[in-house]
Amino acid sequence: MTEYFPEVEMAGRMYGRAVSVKRPEATETFEENNVYFTDSTIMRMMTFEVVSGTLDKALNEEFTVIINQDMATKYFGDKIRLARR
């Protein structure tokens, strides 16, 4: 977009949808609404409060996620898991 509209300083893409999520070690599946797929440019365009980790390289690699505190507790309990693959 920025190449066609020079007045636009930065552009990013977001695509929202509902997804099914299942942890490898779990048997239950969760249905999540309001999940957004986006590119890393969004991290420079919006402000996020960070509870754990850093945003400097967030979303630069495929299959990475940013989740809020409620979702972290829902999936991981009280355990903090960073950079888990």
Side-chain angles (χ1 to χ4, degrees), residues 21-55:
V21 179
K22 182 178 183 283
R23 292 190 345 234
E25 67 275 4
T27 57
E28 62 185 321
T29 301
F30 297 95
E31 297 298 321
E32 296 292 346
N33 296 314
N34 300 319
V35 172
Y36 289 88
F37 296 85
T38 183
D39 56 41
S40 60
T41 307
I42 296 298
M43 304 313 299
R44 295 190 309 267
M45 296 174 63
M46 302 175 80
T47 303
F48 297 90
E49 177 185 348
V50 178
V51 175
S52 182
T54 63
L55 293 176

Side-chain angles (χ1 to χ4, degrees), residues 69 72-81:
Q69 186 64 50
T73 302
K74 177 178 180 178
Y75 287 104
F76 304 114
D78 293 331
K79 300 175 189 174
I80 296 176
R81 299 180 185 193

